[in-house]
């Protein structure tokens, strides 16, 4: 037999590999994929193999307008979708919505001058970009920015780019709308031409929606003039096709009943876990923290062992909520879907750039229960769009007035905190709005968003168990027949009640599908993921820290103090640790009272807990008052020992009052003018010696 040489062997090996590949095609490789498996199991980046070239995408799909969004809670994404839809229906623009993290930006210098780009940008935290806008922000703000045609920042490389921009911010934060302001400034510097004003919405003042509506009308006029657009009568044009599937039963194993992706559907959830792929975590422990019967505050321990989820002390945990049964029923009833709630539907985009916000096939019930923010604030613009589908002329006239009169809308809707189903139930006297296309509801109602909570445990002490501290919301609004109930906190309360033996929990009259889709949350589980934060202890534990945390604002400081107590027990040198805590009454809502004593025993004289019980005395006393009472030591720790100052809680009032108190302390103790003291606080912020984890 002739001996094979090296070349013959190489040929045979290649033939063997090719044969195996052919025979295994469709079994081990080139397997058809569920189109949602990647989109929902991974971060919201462009799918593998998809182009990151936005110009290429616009050419392929015949678009002349792209609406980019940088969104943390879904509002900016919602505004982007609304603008794209309005641009198409009113002005005939060929629009697409684009997630900022799905594309590269070095070819913006090649953006054709007959097209336009919108940038709808939320500011997150202390002037930071949202998670999906980080890469875009870093590219645009880079010192050595360069584009595809080789031009640098001094060459005005974006002279062909026409853009529109709107920012979403909160005036209770120091860096109000800084994201949109910085991006607008750099676009102008690079030669781009802005159309209309750079709009800004203010969530802190509660005027975000009205700010947006007031901005967009003159913007559309400016854009129409610049691009020679002709306005036409806006007619509803669906973005999605809804197809009822008579061939599928809701219990079919291919039907999504609330599962976020294919891995969850098939019962083989795997990481990485993130904002599009939650971990179904067991609640290891739950307990009530308040001593009164009419209010609730929960402490939960969420077990993440075996998930590869890691957190650092000071991070946030996201809880994925489920809408309450009564809210789901009301919504399905008022839109005439109750009899078809378990009908299987396919939802598909009628345009190649349309992204369906949940996996299908699914059911009407699953979409409303797990995917739509049906209890959120109502958009006046969205209400107006539903007038044409009113069940009678009286209802149509009322909705038309609500949509066109912002003061009337505020009086009848916003001030009463009505959700969309409550509003339409009231307007039509419970007559069903059966003609409203379900596609319009999917397009107009935002996706339900995870709720973020400051983690109230130390990763050093309990790396596999995440502490959550949550006050349960149930607020009766003056002048409204409805009680405003927190979607997520009441869901957590139901889980706590179930864990403590209640077979049918109904906190504040609400029931939840707490076993989850197909009972996958049975055994007291909750969907979660972790979001990293910059709210961190100093790396050197000997540095002093001063913490201001009234109410549930104390949550991250439980983790901070727990960590320092463990370090002290381990023999490390721990610096001065002062916690200012406030609540109404010592006997009612002094949370973690016993734990502070235990931590104090470990920390010794380095730890001080200073309390402010606002309703225990003749005069109301708050944390900012206690802070001033300790002015001398506070100033010494921050000045001479370069300590760290932390604030967590209400941004609108408490955080501002605390900053004002600290400014006063510096002015008084250091003998400087208030203006100089304000500069000291600003420098502390810039060096991370003054950190906030606040909300409004």
């Amino acid at each position: 037999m002739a001996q094979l040489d090296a070349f013959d062997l190489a040929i045979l090996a290649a033939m063997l590999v090719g044969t195996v590949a052919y025979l295994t095609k469709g079994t081990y490789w080139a397997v058809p994929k569920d189109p949602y498996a990647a989109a929902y199991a991974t971060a919201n980046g462009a799918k593998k193999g998809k182009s990151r070239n936005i110009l290429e995408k616009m050419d392929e799909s015949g678009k002349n307008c792209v609406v980019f969004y940088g969104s943390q809670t879904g509002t900016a994404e919602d505004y982007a979708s609304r603008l794209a839809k309005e641009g198409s229906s009113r002005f005939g623009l060929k629009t697409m919505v684009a997630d900022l993290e799905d594309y590269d930006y070095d070819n913006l210098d090649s953006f054709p001058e007959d097209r336009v780009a919108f940038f709808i940008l939320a500011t997150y935290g202390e002037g930071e970009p949202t998670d999906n806008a980080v890469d875009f922000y870093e590219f645009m703000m880079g010192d050595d920015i360069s584009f595809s045609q080789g031009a640098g920042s001094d060459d005005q490389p974006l002279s062909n780019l026409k853009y529109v921009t709107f920012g979403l911010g909160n005036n209770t934060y120091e860096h109000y709308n800084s994201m949109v302001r910085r991006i607008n400034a750099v676009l102008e510097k690079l030669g781009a031409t802005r159309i209309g004003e750079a709009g800004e919405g203010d969530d802190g003042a509660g005027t975000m929606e009205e700010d947006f509506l007031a901005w967009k009308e003159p913007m559309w006029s400016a854009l129409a003039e610049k691009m020679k657009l002709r306005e036409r009568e806006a007619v509803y044009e669906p973005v999605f096709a809804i197809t009822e599937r008579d061939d599928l039963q809701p219990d079919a194993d291919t039907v999504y009943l609330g599962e976020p992706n294919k891995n969850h559907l098939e019962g083989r959830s795997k990481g990485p876990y993130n904002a599009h792929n939650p971990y179904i975590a067991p609640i290891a422990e739950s307990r009530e923290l308040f001593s009164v019967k009419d209010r609730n505050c929960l402490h939960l321990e969420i077990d993440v062992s075996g998930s590869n989820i890691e957190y650092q002390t000071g991070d946030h945990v996201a809880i994925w909520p489920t809408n309450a049964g009564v809210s789901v029923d009301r919504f399905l009833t008022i839109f005439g879907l109750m009899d078809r709630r378990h009908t299987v539907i396919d939802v598909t985009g009628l345009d190649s750039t349309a992204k369906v916000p949940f996996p299908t096939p699914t059911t009407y019930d699953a979409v409303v229960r797990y995917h739509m923010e049906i209890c959120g604030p109502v958009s006046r613009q969205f209400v107006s769009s539903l007038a044409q589908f009113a069940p009678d002329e009286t209802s149509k006239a009322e909705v038309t007035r609500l949509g066109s009169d912002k003061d009337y809308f505020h009086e009848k809707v916003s001030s009463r905190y009505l959700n969309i189903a409550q509003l339409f139930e009231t307007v039509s006297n419970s007559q069903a709005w059966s003609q409203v296309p379900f596609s319009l509801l999917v397009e107009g109602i935002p996706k339900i968003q995870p709720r973020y909570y400051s983690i109230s445990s130390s990763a050093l002490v309990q790396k596999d168990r995440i502490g959550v501290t949550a006050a349960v919301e149930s607020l009766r609004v003056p002048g409204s027949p409805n009680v405003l109930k927190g979607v997520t906190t009441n869901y957590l309360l139901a889980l706590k009640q179930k864990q403590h033996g209640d077979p049918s929990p109904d906190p504040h009259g609400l029931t939840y599908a707490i076993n989850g889709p197909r009972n996958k949350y049975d055994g007291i589980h909750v969907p979660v993921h972790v979001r990293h934060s910059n709210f961190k202890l100093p790396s050197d534990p000997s540095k002093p820290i001063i913490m201001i945390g009234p109410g549930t604002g104390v949550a991250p400081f439980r983790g901070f103090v727990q960590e320092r107590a463990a370090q002290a027990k381990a023999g490390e040198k721990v610096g001065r640790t002062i916690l200012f805590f406030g609540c109404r009454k010592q006997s009612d809502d002094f949370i973690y009272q016993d734990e502070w004593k235990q931590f104090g025993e470990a920390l010794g004289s380095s730890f001080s807990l200073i309390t402010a019980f606002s309703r225990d005395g003749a005069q109301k006393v708050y944390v900012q008052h206690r802070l001033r009472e300790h002015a001398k030591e506070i100033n010494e720790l921050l000045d001479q020992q370069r300590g760290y100052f932390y604030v967590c809680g209400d941004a609108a009032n408490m955080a501002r009052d605390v900053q004002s108190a600290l400014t006063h302390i510096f002015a008084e103790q250091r003998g400087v003018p208030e203006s100089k003291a304000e500069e000291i606080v600003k420098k502390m912020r810039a060096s991370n010696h003054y950190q906030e984890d606040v909300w409004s």
Side-chain angles (χ1 to χ4, degrees):
M1 183 177 176
Q3 224 176 6
L4 296 174
D5 62 19
F7 181 77
D8 292 326
L9 288 170
I11 293 296
L12 285 171
M15 291 174 64
L16 178 62
V17 169
T19 302
V20 171
Y22 178 81
L23 292 174
T24 59
K25 181 179 180 181
T27 303
Y28 296 107
W29 70 285
V31 182
K33 301 276 184 154
D34 180 327
Y36 294 97
Y40 291 88
T42 60
N44 192 22
K47 296 186 184 80
K48 189 174 181 180
K50 295 282 186 177
S51 172
R52 292 184 58 82
N53 185 324
I54 186 59
L55 301 183
E56 187 178 280
K57 182 68 174 178
M58 293 178 75
D59 287 340
E60 288 174 356
S61 53
K63 306 299 183 186
N64 61 2
C65 172
V66 58
V67 187
F68 292 109
Y69 65 86
S71 186
Q72 195 71 34
T73 64
T75 307
E77 181 179 0
D78 175 50
Y79 284 5
S81 297
R82 287 161 60 179
L83 288 167
K85 190 171 180 61
E86 190 172 355
S88 173
S89 63
R90 283 180 62 184
F91 298 96
L93 286 166
K94 304 301 181 183
T95 61
M96 65 174 285
V97 177
D99 188 327
L100 276 169
E101 70 179 355
D102 283 354
Y103 297 96
D104 297 324
Y105 300 94
D106 58 350
N107 64 350
L108 284 178
D109 59 339
S110 301
F111 205 87
E113 56 184 346
D114 61 347
R115 300 181 187 179
V116 64
F118 285 58
F119 295 92
I120 311 304
L121 306 171
T123 298
Y124 169 60
E126 292 301 309
E128 302 156 30
T130 57
D131 291 346
N132 74 315
V134 170
D135 291 344
F136 167 72
Y137 178 78
E138 291 180 348
F139 173 80
M140 296 300 294
M141 302 304 294
D143 294 333
D144 55 349
I145 187 171
S146 63
F147 291 91
S148 59
Q149 297 185 26
S153 59
D154 295 333
D155 305 313
Q156 294 207 317
L158 303 187
S159 56
N160 280 348
L161 176 66
K162 296 183 180 69
Y163 74 97
V164 171
T165 190
F166 182 83
L168 296 84
N170 187 316
N171 72 10
T172 61
Y173 290 80
E174 181 180 4
H175 301 285
Y176 171 62
N177 261 316
S178 63
M179 180 67 176
V180 74
R181 293 177 181 182
R182 290 169 183 165
I183 293 300
N184 179 60
V186 76
L187 287 172
E188 288 184 331
K189 177 185 175 185
L190 295 172
T193 301
R194 190 185 71 243
I195 298 174
E197 294 298 317
E200 294 184 355
D202 186 3
D203 192 44
T207 59
M208 180 72 78
E209 176 73 11
E210 291 302 330
D211 293 339
F212 174 71
L213 296 179
W215 162 81
K216 73 180 182 64
E217 287 309 316
M219 178 277 296
W220 284 128
S221 298
L223 184 64
E225 181 180 349
K226 188 75 173 179
M227 297 188 69
K228 296 178 171 54
L229 303 174
R230 182 171 297 176
E231 185 171 2
R232 59 190 187 183
E233 183 180 356
V235 178
Y236 173 61
E237 299 171 347
V239 174
F240 302 113
I242 312 295
T243 307
E244 295 190 351
R245 296 284 302 274
D246 296 332
D247 59 317
L248 280 177
Q249 294 300 310
D251 58 355
D253 58 11
T254 57
V255 175
Y256 291 84
L257 297 181
E259 297 91 347
N261 56 55
K262 188 177 182 182
N263 285 335
H264 282 268
L265 178 68
E266 296 179 346
R268 50 183 180 84
S269 168
K270 61 181 181 180
Y273 298 106
N274 51 44
H276 299 275
N277 183 41
Y279 174 60
I280 311 303
I283 296 177
E285 176 190 335
S286 59
R287 67 181 191 270
E288 176 63 55
L289 296 176
F290 283 174
S291 303
V292 289
K293 292 184 178 180
D294 61 335
R295 293 187 295 136
N296 298 94
C297 185
L298 307 177
H299 178 81
L300 308 174
E301 294 279 333
I302 297 172
D303 187 348
V304 294
S305 57
S307 67
N308 288 325
I309 288 179
E310 295 180 353
Y311 77 96
Q312 296 178 328
T313 309
D315 281 346
H316 300 137
V317 62
I319 307 289
W320 290 48
T322 298
N323 284 313
V326 65
S327 301
V328 174
D329 291 348
R330 178 185 286 117
F331 185 94
L332 293 171
T333 298
I334 199 62
F335 289 111
L337 296 167
M338 183 60 93
D339 292 342
R340 290 148 51 212
R341 69 187 306 165
H342 298 303
T343 299
V344 177
I345 57 173
D346 268 329
V347 183
T348 53
L350 293 173
D351 182 279
S352 62
T353 64
K355 184 190 290 185
V356 180
F358 43 79
T360 68
T362 183
T363 66
Y364 291 112
D365 184 278
V367 173
V368 175
R369 189 177 302 275
Y370 292 102
H371 298 296
M372 297 173 77
E373 195 74 80
I374 61 172
C375 294
V378 180
S379 158
R380 182 161 63 88
Q381 182 181 8
F382 179 58
V383 167
S384 181
S385 72
L386 298 183
Q388 60 187 301
F389 304 106
D392 54 55
E393 289 302 316
T394 302
S395 298
K396 181 177 181 179
E398 177 67 3
V399 168
T400 300
R401 182 182 177 189
L402 286 168
S404 60
D405 187 334
K406 70 175 184 179
D407 294 330
Y408 187 63
F409 186 84
H410 177 77
E411 176 192 346
K412 295 293 184 180
V413 185
S414 302
S415 65
R416 297 181 180 183
Y417 296 92
L418 297 181
N419 62 43
I420 189 70
Q422 290 169 336
L423 170 60
F424 278 68
E425 196 176 59
T426 302
V427 166
S428 67
N429 197 25
S430 298
Q431 187 176 350
W433 293 64
S434 305
Q435 298 305 309
V436 176
F438 192 65
S439 56
L440 180 53
L441 298 175
V442 173
E443 296 159 22
I445 298 175
K447 292 185 297 184
I448 196 166
Q449 296 294 320
R451 272 53 167 182
Y452 292 94
Y453 297 87
S454 302
I455 292 176
S456 56
S457 57
S458 161
L460 176 69
V461 176
Q462 49 182 79
K463 66 182 181 65
D464 291 329
R465 284 173 62 146
I466 291 175
V468 177
T469 308
V472 180
E473 295 175 88
S474 181
L475 174 68
R476 182 164 292 282
V477 181
S480 174
N482 303 296
V483 177
L484 182 64
K485 300 169 184 176
V487 172
T488 309
T489 53
N490 280 283
Y491 171 49
L492 294 177
L493 180 55
L495 287 167
K496 181 256 183 186
Q497 291 174 347
K498 179 76 179 290
Q499 188 168 49
H500 287 258
D502 187 341
S504 304
D506 60 341
H508 301 111
L510 303 178
T511 58
Y512 293 85
I514 57 179
N515 288 335
R518 293 184 170 88
N519 292 321
K520 289 175 180 175
Y521 303 174
D522 195 20
I524 320 300
H525 287 70
V526 66
V528 302
H529 72 270
V530 165
R531 181 176 72 186
H532 295 296
S533 163
N534 294 323
F535 196 72
K536 292 288 180 282
L537 281 165
S539 56
D540 180 0
S542 69
K543 287 290 185 182
I545 61 171
I546 299 156
M547 301 162 285
I548 318 293
T552 55
V554 81
F557 304 137
R558 178 181 181 269
F560 283 18
V561 178
Q562 185 184 49
E563 184 152 317
R564 287 207 152 189
Q567 290 170 328
K569 283 184 178 180
E572 292 188 58
K573 181 183 177 183
V574 174
R576 190 80 168 96
T577 303
I578 303 178
L579 171 62
F580 289 86
F581 171 76
C583 63
R584 295 181 185 179
K585 293 186 175 183
Q586 181 173 2
S587 60
D588 292 354
D589 47 5
F590 186 5
I591 61 178
Y592 302 120
Q593 184 172 0
D594 293 336
E595 291 189 21
W596 303 128
K597 294 175 183 176
Q598 295 169 13
F599 296 147
E601 290 172 2
L603 288 165
S605 60
S606 67
F607 177 67
S608 291
L609 173 64
I610 300 166
T611 57
F613 304 116
S614 62
R615 300 189 184 180
D616 272 348
Q619 292 185 323
K620 290 186 177 181
V621 178
Y622 297 108
V623 286
Q624 60 267 26
H625 302 135
R626 296 296 190 214
L627 187 65
R628 286 192 176 194
E629 291 172 6
H630 294 78
K632 187 173 186 297
E633 183 180 17
I634 297 302
N635 180 60
E636 288 175 354
L637 292 175
L638 296 177
D639 185 17
Q640 299 168 19
Q641 299 186 40
R642 296 279 295 157
Y644 289 74
F645 191 83
Y646 300 89
V647 183
C648 182
D650 166 48
N653 298 302
M654 182 276 299
R656 284 186 168 182
D657 290 342
V658 166
Q659 177 173 320
S660 177
L662 186 63
T663 302
H664 177 81
I665 287 171
F666 287 159
E668 179 185 72
Q669 295 293 315
R670 303 185 190 186
V672 298
E674 286 277 334
S675 58
K676 175 64 176 176
E678 289 171 358
E679 287 299 317
I680 295 171
V681 171
K682 285 185 178 180
K683 288 179 180 178
M684 285 180 63
R685 287 182 180 274
S687 64
N688 282 329
H689 280 256
Y690 190 126
Q691 297 182 35
E692 287 183 324
D693 182 3
V694 293
W695 57 85
S696 61

